[in-house]
Amino acid sequence: MSDPSAVVRRFEHGSRVPGWDRPADLAKPPATIPDPADVDVPPALREQIEHHMSLYPDRRSAALPALEAAQRVHGWCSPEALEQVACVMRVTPAYLESVATFYDMLETSPVAPHSVYVCTNISCSLRGADGLLDALRAATADDGDVHVRSFECLGACDIAPMASVDGVYVGPLETDDVPRLLADLRSGEPVLADLQLARRPVADPRADSSEYPEPAPEPQKRPTP
Amino acid sequence: MARPELKPITLTIDGREVNAGEGMMLADAAKLGDIEIPVFCYEPKLGEPVGACRMCLVEIEGMPKLQTACSTAVKDGMVVYTESERVRGAQRSVVEFLLINHPLDCPVCDKGGECPLQDISFGWGSGISRFIDPKRHFIKPLELSPLIAIDRERCILCYRCVRFSQEVAEDYQLVLLERGAASYVSTFDSHPYVAPFSGNIIELCPVGALTSRPYRFRARPWDIEGAGSVCTLCPAQCNVELTVRDERTLRVLARDNDAVDDGWLCDKGRFAYQSFDADERITQPLVRDGGQLRPVSWERALDEAAGALRRAGAASAAIAAGGTTGEEALLLARIVRDALRSPHLDSRRAGPLPLALQRALADPALQASVADLEFARAVLVLDADPRDDAPILDLRLRKGARRRGVKLALASPVPGALADRADLALAYDEGASATLLHALALALEGRDASRAAKEAGSDGKRVAALAELLQGDGEVVVLWHERLTAGPGGARAARELLAVAAVLGLADADGSGLLEIPAAANGRGLREAGLLPNAGPGYTDAPLAGGLDAAGIAAALASGELSALYLVGCDPLLDLPGRAEWERALDAATSVIAHAALLTDGLRESATVVFPAETYAEKDGTVVHPDSRLQRLRAAVQRPGAVRAGWQVLAELGARLGVATDVRSAAQASELLYDSVPFYAGLSVEEIGGRGARWSERSQATALPAGGPDEQADSPAAGLDRAELAGRRSLWDAPEVAVSPALEFTARPRELV
Amino acid sequence: MSDERMLLLTDIDEPGLATREVYERRGGYDSLRKALAMSPEEVLAQLKASEIRGRGGAGFSMGTKISFLPAGDIDKYLVCNADESEPGTFKDRELMQKTPHTLIEGMIIASYAAGTTRSFIYIRGEYVLQADVLDAAIAEARDAGYVGENILGSGHSLTMVVHRGAGAYICGEETGLLDSLEGKRGNPRLKPPFPANQGLYQGPTLINNVETLSTVPAIIAMGGEEYAKLGTQNSTGTKLVSVSGHVRRPGNYEVELGIPSREIIYGLAGGPPEGRAVKCWFPGGSSAPVLTADDLDLPYDFDSMAKAGSMLGSGAIIVVDDSTPILDVALKVAKFYRHESCGKCTPCREGTNWTVRMLERIENGEATPMDLDIMASVQEHIIGNCLCVLGDAMAMPIGSMIAKFRPEFEEHIERAREPLLAAQNGNAA
């Protein structure tokens, strides 16, 4: 359906919610639990999903890890990805779409392969996160490889303002750090190694962290897409 | 399984003493004291309360916060306020919150006038809104399915529709997407919500967000009347309320009866009302003249029919099916037996069963009720797929399994729709029911069943597992379809079924028993009215011996031994096995007289006289639910055209043939029926009422003659195809569906519906 | 200060503490051995004697919670709430990342006391590093026989699975967490039934926060009564406090409950930057009603914060200095809760949305002082009327900001309207 705001004045004010104008396509069949004969699931993905299902008394508990695994394979929770997960988990794809759209980390529209979550919640914002987000957005405006998005509190207010770059926490960040951050990301180097949370000692001076050498950053375990 | 029994208690609501049952939800208990607590999300039919809409907040003494009445169980001595200033404030604020984005387009909304949101805003809202920002607007309405339109502006996110899809129908197609204020009801990737029970969400919606596409803009609530009746499009016989405007049925709603349907309808029942006013409907008597069926006067049609039957005399036969009422069946039997002196009457699709077996199967002690399916410890669904055979029972079985942990076992030659819910599913060869049941009986007795199981196309271990599931303390119900007794092994299967019932002690335990789904919508009522070759009304001995069953009638017509066939609500080509045999029989018959509302294949080609028949919306009479519940059909609209009541036509025809029944009204026809069937004795229309009455629970039930495992030899193999004998038909495979424009989409390839 | 007891952060940066080897060398898993030598009832008695209150936000007694679990041979579950997502809170992250075995040991002891045999750690999906560390540590613990069948020959068995969330604040609410762990949308459930009776997969479930469970080994080591001597009478023990916002040394600090709040904000975290003063502070995450500079000398414990009209919550202090307009704070808070509202109940779903719309109008100069009254009334209608506490979590701080900073809001409304009024007057002329 074409964008209604172009033709109908009352849609102009911008309070529309994406998806609310989505009608059903009556030519499609109803979306029931997929028939295994109709859906090709990459064997590695199937194996991962089945492993997750085995960890819980109820197979549906595996929905989040399974969707995350499918997102790693497909880049986002595409209809195709949802159908594959549904086929292995023996649930309807609607069940999974309902779950996927509830959680911020599951993408239900296509995104760039690298993701940068910038925390813009209160503690980070008090320390300049909104400017950081603007700078990152400006620097990646034409970059199809990096997806910058504002995120709610990431639980690292001690390094505010901060960002999670493909899952690696870095901070405190200044707008000056943006070029280096993006350069590291593009080159595949550990991102801002000196600013990674993994190396940061606890703040409480009485914990007496000073005698210990700075710990080496943990290896990045999360496979990048 | 123990059914909830409520201890009587007294609580105080707004200073009024209210007697209720302990543990009832406060929102329900308040109604007993004539106090209304407004609700949106609460609907007991959907299961546990969710407390989402917050409309029902009330003040309870001893609790600091306001509580949701939908989820608070009442206790003795509880003191509740539903009209205090605090409660009023909360109610006004919830209404104000709900109306923030609601478009208030009531003047153009189908729900206007029968809308809970309207009523509650009026009754409990403040009348003004302090929200001055622009509301959300969307393109609307959108198609959600061929049957349902969705208007997302109006949705108040009460969760009812998605809970139905997920927790009642369990099709999990309708879900909420996104989160918070952006949440909306939708399906996966723009697929339509097409499922056998989807229409229920229209009725559940407390606002105008989900509307019926066939009903949209057809009427306003003040234009219409509601008329209660019973849907006879299938044996489930759901209780319905027809929405009538200007003598036309415009809508079918559920008329909640927990003993029958739990308040749900299938989409066939909900939308096939369009067939009542279809162009294809026959509204005048027709007589074949020069090879063509031509409209004629009633006089002419009755004369033709009477003449034909008189000429054929004892070479006549009659078969009834579908929603033919007990009254019609009884009058038909009088004509055939008393006037024509013919013993050839039938109503069983599955073929004949020795009378002793039929009596044994009808034993009141063995009759399980629909509610028993929900409270039993275990249910065996035998050679049936409830979704197609009696759809609403599918929901009841799911409910029992989900909410009460009923163990569900399936045994059928084909996998059914309940497979996802079953604790055990056992497949066996088509036509091998008797052998399978024999194996089960052996296993139940602790004997080796492997040989018999293998012979039936199953295996010993599965049968042993089934036996184990059925054994032990607690009620067991076997839900089986008439087709179990179809064909050459039919009588044996019935005997084995009775043997299994005996081993399990089904007759001895309350809540245990057998529940048969007959092939015809009123199959049970037709048999009880005596429409059988080997039995009179109430399974008495047949007044005339030597009656042929349906297959025998077909053969005798083909060979010329019989010449006239009288059909009521039955087209042999659609309703009976052996299409080829029946084509020959209809060709050979001299006269074929039929009562029909639609001209289906067999009648179009072969009928010589067609009486235009009523649909259930136009009909008065009695039908019998599979669980022995007599139910009343009550005419909701006038008969169209020249259509006359079935009882009237039969009574007139009887009079012409010399049967004096003195039936001059529908009420007299019913009286005649109740007087004729011994175990209906003393029944009245009042006793049946709007909820029905189970004859098996009345003292007169002892009038049923005792039965037993008749050892009569099985009838010889009829040589029919086993699958054809079993007659598994999709829910959508019905003439009423074919002529309902709204259901046209169901004619698409099977995977689409 | 230096003589105060530290139980959780001492030597937390020791290299390799996340490994079993180093953890054991420092006495790790001794508490588990000690506990397994006792009966489950004795362990529970120790936990009760410690009077430790939950560190997740609600502050409910841990010992009491365990005793709510029905006895009997049924499937019972232990769930560790590691969804730390209350803005301003990052204490659990530090514990899980640096000393995961403390949590694992605490969970095994708690499961022994509660009679649960399956456990799950629900960790927010954003904590990738911490989840990986936990996975590795659990594998080590399993190899050493601490997790699995018949732990150290005690007859007690426990499985442990790390379950990663996927970004939803509401999954920190215990029943939302359970739904999410069951693979559904993280919508909170009606209570009662409480999780102790009917929780995960309908079974009795004990849910505790990371910090609470990580404290268990220390309680067993020192004895419950000894632990109860720390802190104040109603707020026993030590507490990790995450301090953030306008302070010079943001981070985690371990304090004995009852310490003056000023001591934490100024003494430990260094106070606001040079030349600025505290305007307001959230004592327990962004859900807590704000306090002002006048409240800095209140003791930092559960009761004192409640008495001041706020709450200790998750123990996250967010400091806002006088350079920040209160409207900015209010908008951030309101937008966050609107984004995170699950949408299940009406007052929260619609109320958070409406509040943001009103705040935005104030910002854009389209509001009048009457909007402040409406906004205050909307907050009142949210508080106490929702299915879970998320609605309250917005309404309480926003309500407190309107009450405490009303003149500033009014001033903002007037200032922001000036251009609009000027334009209107211009048109009129």
Side-chain angles (χ1 to χ4, degrees):
Chain A
M1 188 166 295
S2 61
D3 180 7
S5 62
V7 284
V8 186
R9 233 189 96 74
R10 66 192 170 98
F11 297 124
E12 277 177 345
H13 57 73
S15 66
R16 297 171 52 241
V17 177
W20 283 51
D21 286 330
R22 192 168 90 172
D25 178 354
L26 299 189
K28 287 185 178 181
T32 50
I33 298 173
D35 184 341
D38 298 340
V39 184
D40 233 353
V41 187
L45 178 60
R46 175 188 294 278
E47 205 175 294
Q48 278 187 62
I49 296 172
E50 281 170 352
H51 166 69
H52 285 301
M53 283 160 65
S54 74
L55 295 178
Y56 305 91
D58 180 342
R59 70 182 195 285
R60 282 187 297 186
S61 276
L64 285 185
L67 286 168
E68 206 223 348
Q71 177 161 296
R72 257 182 274 129
V73 172
H74 293 266
W76 62 294
C77 292
S78 61
E80 187 192 1
L82 294 177
E83 268 172 349
Q84 291 177 359
V85 178
C87 179
V88 180
M89 286 185 67
R90 308 310 299 147
V91 295
T92 62
Y95 173 81
L96 295 171
E97 190 179 5
S98 176
V99 170
T101 54
F102 189 87
Y103 296 93
D104 288 338
M105 293 174 70
L106 296 171
E107 306 284 354
T108 45
S109 47
V111 289
H114 293 290
S115 64
V116 178
Y117 300 163
V118 181
C119 172
T120 50
N121 206 297
I122 181 138
S123 294
C124 280
S125 132
L126 289 172
R127 298 178 81 96
D130 300 291
L132 174 69
L133 176 67
D134 291 344
L136 267 162
R137 281 201 171 134
T140 56
D142 305 319
D143 191 330
D145 282 342
V146 183
H147 168 57
V148 174
R149 63 184 281 199
S150 132
F151 220 83
E152 297 301 354
C153 185
L154 287 161
C157 323
D158 45 347
I159 55 168
M162 58 79 63
S164 169
V165 182
D166 284 339
V168 177
Y169 280 25
V170 287
L173 299 176
E174 314 219 341
T175 45
D176 295 352
D177 296 320
V178 168
R180 200 155 58 91
L181 185 156
L182 293 173
D184 288 345
L185 190 57
R186 286 173 189 134
S187 66
E189 293 291 311
V191 175
L192 300 179
D194 53 322
L195 291 178
Q196 290 195 2
L197 176 76
R199 316 167 60 122
R200 193 178 168 91
V202 71
D204 196 326
R206 299 159 306 149
D208 228 2
S209 303
S210 52
E211 68 185 76
Y212 304 118
E214 200 173 74
E218 292 280 325
Q220 276 180 254
K221 287 200 177 171
R222 195 188 202 202
T224 42
Chain B
M1 196 179 303
R3 294 175 202 210
E5 270 183 40
L6 303 178
K7 192 178 126 199
I9 54 130
T10 306
L11 71 160
T12 309
I13 308 179
D14 298 335
R16 230 185 280 186
E17 284 204 348
V18 176
N19 297 315
E22 187 171 46
M24 281 177 81
M25 291 304 156
L26 180 52
D28 297 326
K31 287 183 198 157
L32 302 176
D34 206 15
I35 293 163
E36 189 178 0
I37 298 175
V39 296
F40 287 114
C41 68
Y42 182 54
E43 170 50 75
K45 289 198 279 189
L46 291 170
E48 294 290 305
V50 292
C53 74
R54 317 305 285 176
M55 191 62 231
C56 64
L57 288 170
V58 294
E59 200 171 341
I60 299 174
E61 259 181 26
M63 296 198 183
K65 285 172 78 172
L66 298 182
Q67 301 291 315
T68 45
C70 71
S71 67
T72 304
V74 295
K75 293 194 197 104
D76 197 37
M78 196 180 243
V79 180
V80 182
Y81 301 97
T82 73
E83 296 185 318
S84 66
E85 211 28 63
R86 248 179 102 200
V87 175
R88 288 278 193 202
Q91 290 168 337
R92 278 195 296 267
S93 72
V94 172
V95 171
E96 186 178 33
F97 283 136
L98 286 172
L99 294 182
I100 279 184
N101 277 307
H102 188 81
L104 293 169
D105 56 350
C106 313
V108 295
C109 175
D110 245 21
K111 197 83 173 180
E114 52 180 22
C115 172
L117 181 61
Q118 235 178 8
D119 295 344
I120 291 173
S121 297
F122 194 76
W124 287 270
S126 72
I128 55 156
S129 172
R130 298 172 296 172
F131 183 81
I132 58 168
D133 302 79
K135 293 191 185 223
R136 293 193 284 229
H137 289 292
F138 310 99
I139 296 226
K140 65 180 208 173
L142 300 166
E143 289 162 340
L144 184 66
S145 82
L147 299 169
I148 305 165
I150 184 165
D151 180 327
R152 295 197 173 104
E153 283 183 0
R154 294 182 188 149
C155 175
I156 59 166
L157 293 171
C158 71
Y159 279 61
R160 283 187 180 198
C161 55
V162 295
R163 283 167 66 206
F164 174 81
S165 166
Q166 296 166 12
E167 292 165 35
V168 178
E170 298 186 334
D171 57 55
Y172 251 107
Q173 289 186 41
L174 196 69
V175 292
L176 276 171
L177 298 182
E178 300 299 336
R179 189 170 77 192
S183 314
Y184 65 100
V185 172
S186 191
T187 54
F188 169 67
D189 195 31
S190 301
H191 288 257
Y193 178 37
V194 175
F197 305 100
S198 68
N200 288 297
I201 64 172
I202 300 167
E203 221 175 309
L204 284 170
C205 183
V207 298
L210 296 168
T211 46
S212 158
R213 293 183 67 203
Y215 182 64
R216 277 176 74 82
F217 307 126
R218 295 296 189 282
R220 283 303 212 170
W222 48 89
D223 301 328
I224 58 175
E225 282 179 284
S229 193
V230 173
C231 172
T232 59
L233 296 183
C234 87
Q237 294 184 8
C238 296
N239 291 192
V240 292
E241 183 184 307
L242 305 178
T243 294
V244 177
R245 180 183 187 181
D246 299 340
E247 297 302 334
R248 271 176 79 112
T249 304
L250 291 186
R251 180 171 68 171
V252 178
L253 300 174
R255 179 166 61 84
D256 297 16
N257 185 349
D258 289 353
V260 174
D261 50 41
D262 247 353
W264 308 122
L265 292 180
C266 72
D267 285 0
K268 176 165 86 172
R270 188 177 294 278
F271 294 104
Y273 70 86
Q274 292 188 326
S275 65
F276 303 165
D277 295 300
D279 294 343
E280 292 87 342
R281 182 80 195 272
I282 310 166
T283 55
Q284 280 182 294
L286 306 172
V287 166
R288 195 167 297 273
D289 184 0
Q292 290 285 315
L293 282 172
R294 298 181 198 281
V296 295
S297 68
W298 272 102
E299 276 309 301
R300 162 101 196 272
L302 285 164
D303 284 344
E304 289 275 348
L309 291 172
R310 208 177 287 117
R311 281 192 295 281
S316 307
I319 301 173
T324 302
T325 60
E327 290 85 347
E328 291 165 333
L330 192 85
L331 290 167
L332 177 64
R334 285 281 175 94
I335 290 175
V336 176
R337 286 196 176 117
D338 297 357
L340 307 176
R341 304 303 295 167
S342 159
H344 311 306
L345 279 166
D346 205 359
S347 59
R348 282 176 53 91
R349 188 187 187 284
L353 213 50
L355 181 57
L357 280 174
Q358 298 209 55
R359 287 170 176 168
L361 287 168
D363 178 0
L366 263 181
Q367 305 307 302
S369 71
V370 171
D372 291 340
L373 295 173
E374 182 186 335
F375 290 96
R377 181 184 56 78
V379 174
L380 168 63
V381 178
L382 185 58
D383 208 359
D385 184 353
R387 190 189 66 183
D388 287 332
D389 295 330
I392 228 64
L393 298 184
D394 177 279
L395 297 186
R396 186 70 73 126
L397 290 163
R398 289 177 185 278
K399 180 184 179 190
R402 185 180 57 255
R403 294 198 208 160
R404 306 193 196 278
V406 177
K407 296 273 176 239
L408 186 59
L410 309 179
S412 169
V414 294
L418 279 166
D420 62 311
R421 256 291 165 203
D423 295 285
L424 187 149
L426 182 152
Y428 62 89
D429 291 344
E430 190 80 81
S433 302
T435 315
L436 182 92
L437 282 166
H438 180 62
L440 177 60
L442 288 176
L444 285 169
E445 284 163 355
R447 290 156 65 190
D448 181 19
S450 49
R451 231 184 70 195
K454 203 170 165 204
E455 207 182 309
S458 180
D459 77 75
K461 281 202 186 103
R462 303 288 287 167
V463 174
L466 175 60
E468 198 187 339
L469 185 146
L470 296 177
Q471 265 164 331
D473 288 340
E475 309 82 339
V476 173
V477 176
V478 179
L479 176 67
W480 58 287
H481 189 274
E482 183 185 326
R483 71 173 65 88
L484 182 83
T485 58
R492 221 184 104 220
R495 271 194 291 277
E496 295 291 356
L497 179 63
L498 286 166
V500 166
V503 182
L504 288 169
L506 300 189
D508 311 325
D510 274 352
S512 291
L514 302 176
L515 181 53
E516 179 195 358
I517 306 172
N522 186 31
R524 181 160 190 153
L526 298 178
R527 293 174 206 164
E528 289 174 1
L531 223 56
L532 290 168
N534 52 356
Y539 298 115
T540 50
D541 291 335
L544 301 172
L548 293 169
D549 64 272
I553 292 171
L557 283 168
S559 68
E561 288 165 57
L562 295 179
S563 60
L565 177 63
Y566 197 156
L567 297 166
V568 181
C570 175
D571 180 342
L573 299 192
L574 297 182
D575 299 319
L576 298 172
R579 190 175 172 107
E581 288 76 3
W582 271 108
E583 277 171 353
R584 275 198 297 280
L586 292 174
D587 270 354
T590 314
S591 306
V592 177
I593 300 155
H595 289 237
L598 295 167
L599 216 46
T600 47
D601 291 359
L603 307 184
R604 190 181 301 110
E605 297 302 318
S606 314
T608 51
V609 181
V610 180
F611 296 127
E614 307 146 285
T615 63
Y616 80 77
E618 297 140 19
K619 208 166 191 171
D620 282 299
T622 309
V623 290
V624 186
H625 184 276
D627 79 354
S628 82
R629 178 176 301 276
L630 280 86
Q631 305 205 87
R632 290 284 302 161
L633 298 183
R634 304 201 46 192
V637 293
Q638 281 178 11
R639 291 178 289 272
V643 174
R644 285 186 189 173
W647 64 263
Q648 187 188 358
V649 178
L650 286 158
E652 278 191 37
L653 194 59
R656 280 167 205 243
L657 293 167
V659 188
T661 54
D662 281 340
V663 168
R664 289 192 185 81
S665 69
Q668 284 176 339
S670 297
E671 271 170 37
L672 180 66
L673 173 69
Y674 307 155
D675 289 345
S676 304
V677 177
F679 46 75
Y680 293 172
L683 263 172
S684 63
V685 171
E686 289 72 29
E687 186 179 342
I688 295 173
R691 306 268 142 195
R694 292 183 77 199
W695 68 256
S696 61
E697 288 172 353
R698 300 172 78 243
S699 56
Q700 289 81 355
T702 50
L704 175 79
D710 188 288
E711 290 305 327
Q712 186 183 315
D714 277 322
S715 57
L720 288 177
D721 177 63
R722 286 182 162 178
E724 198 178 353
L725 268 175
R728 295 174 212 284
R729 273 161 71 172
S730 151
L731 148 76
W732 305 116
D733 183 6
E736 296 85 7
V737 172
V739 298
S740 294
L743 294 171
E744 202 178 1
F745 72 98
T746 60
R748 288 188 212 154
R750 176 72 179 161
E751 67 266 20
L752 292 185
V753 289
Chain C
M1 285 269 297
S2 54
D3 58 336
E4 271 183 33
R5 293 290 294 271
M6 294 196 83
L7 303 174
L8 293 166
L9 292 185
T10 316
D11 294 329
I12 194 164
D13 283 314
E14 181 169 346
L17 184 59
T19 63
R20 180 169 69 87
E21 190 194 335
V22 176
Y23 183 68
E24 281 185 339
R25 198 169 67 217
R26 295 172 37 90
Y29 290 109
D30 286 353
S31 292
L32 174 62
R33 291 193 170 81
K34 187 174 169 188
L36 292 179
M38 301 190 258
S39 70
E41 293 75 21
E42 285 166 337
V43 176
L44 178 56
Q46 291 295 320
L47 295 175
K48 279 188 167 167
S50 77
E51 293 176 44
I52 183 172
R53 294 170 65 169
R55 295 338 194 186
F60 194 80
S61 157
M62 182 194 189
T64 311
K65 211 190 239 188
I66 294 180
S67 58
F68 283 160
L69 260 69
D73 190 22
I74 39 175
D75 283 340
K76 289 185 260 186
Y77 303 92
L78 167 66
V79 176
C80 170
N81 185 343
D83 191 63
E84 188 169 64
S85 37
E86 176 70 22
T89 316
F90 45 88
K91 61 192 175 71
D92 298 340
R93 185 206 73 208
E94 194 123 39
L95 291 174
M96 289 187 286
Q97 177 186 327
K98 294 178 175 174
T99 179
H101 284 285
T102 310
L103 172 60
I104 294 167
E105 185 179 4
M107 285 179 66
I108 305 165
I109 298 171
S111 74
Y112 180 64
T116 58
T117 54
R118 293 190 88 135
S119 70
F120 297 92
I121 302 175
Y122 186 101
I123 184 167
R124 58 181 307 187
E126 295 88 340
Y127 282 175
V128 179
L129 168 64
Q130 293 73 16
D132 290 344
V133 170
L134 277 172
D135 269 335
I138 290 171
E140 276 190 313
R142 203 176 286 127
D143 290 345
Y146 296 133
V147 169
E149 293 288 310
N150 191 16
I151 297 165
L152 304 180
S154 64
H156 178 58
S157 301
L158 183 70
T159 62
M160 197 176 284
V161 172
V162 176
H163 184 91
R164 298 170 198 229
Y169 168 79
I170 194 59
C171 296
E173 198 280 339
E174 58 181 5
T175 57
L177 182 151
L178 293 177
D179 261 30
S180 180
L181 184 48
E182 289 177 8
K184 307 172 189 161
R185 293 157 68 87
N187 289 330
R189 304 173 181 173
L190 261 184
K191 288 192 269 190
F194 289 93
N197 288 315
Q198 224 181 83
L200 191 61
Y201 311 119
Q202 305 294 311
T205 305
L206 174 68
I207 308 181
N208 273 119
N209 169 260
V210 172
E211 185 187 348
T212 320
L213 289 164
S214 295
T215 307
V216 168
I219 293 173
I220 296 302
M222 68 199 289
E225 286 181 18
E226 201 56 31
Y227 181 87
K229 290 178 186 164
L230 300 172
T232 69
Q233 202 186 350
N234 265 332
S235 305
T236 61
T238 66
K239 171 91 189 75
L240 292 193
V241 184
S242 304
V243 190
S244 66
H246 287 141
V247 289
R248 286 179 232 201
R249 290 187 296 275
N252 286 317
Y253 299 90
E254 182 170 359
V255 301
E256 261 188 61
L257 288 167
I259 179 179
S261 306
R262 184 186 296 278
E263 192 66 43
I264 305 172
I265 295 173
Y266 282 88
L268 292 169
E274 189 70 40
R276 309 245 191 91
V278 172
K279 175 176 190 161
C280 65
W281 54 291
F282 299 81
S286 67
S287 312
V290 293
L291 299 176
T292 63
D294 299 341
D295 304 309
L296 282 169
D297 291 312
L298 291 174
Y300 193 70
D301 59 57
F302 286 104
D303 294 353
S304 305
M305 289 300 118
K307 228 170 108 188
S310 188
M311 60 183 194
L312 186 90
S314 55
I317 295 178
I318 306 168
V319 178
V320 180
D321 74 19
D322 53 5
S323 69
T324 308
I326 197 71
L327 178 64
D328 290 7
V329 180
L331 249 177
K332 274 285 170 201
V333 169
K335 279 186 175 172
F336 168 69
Y337 290 105
R338 174 178 70 171
H339 180 76
E340 299 294 351
S341 169
C342 79
K344 185 169 178 176
C345 83
T346 311
C348 172
R349 179 183 68 236
E350 303 298 338
T352 53
N353 192 29
W354 191 2
T355 302
V356 170
R357 304 275 286 268
M358 286 188 282
L359 287 166
E360 282 174 342
R361 269 195 289 113
I362 294 177
E363 192 179 36
N364 299 335
E366 295 168 3
T368 68
M370 203 181 77
D371 284 299
L372 283 179
D373 294 331
I374 296 175
M375 194 154 61
S377 140
V378 167
Q379 310 313 310
E380 277 166 27
H381 285 143
I382 295 172
I383 293 171
N385 289 345
C386 298
L387 179 68
C388 82
V389 292
L390 191 141
D392 293 23
M394 178 203 72
M396 293 196 302
I398 297 289
S400 73
M401 284 180 230
I402 300 170
K404 290 180 179 169
F405 296 93
R406 189 173 177 113
E408 190 186 328
F409 276 110
E410 287 174 348
E411 203 187 310
H412 195 108
I413 289 171
E414 293 308 324
R415 215 178 35 248
R417 286 174 71 194
E418 271 163 23
L420 205 74
L421 291 173
Q424 276 175 8
N425 291 340
N427 285 345

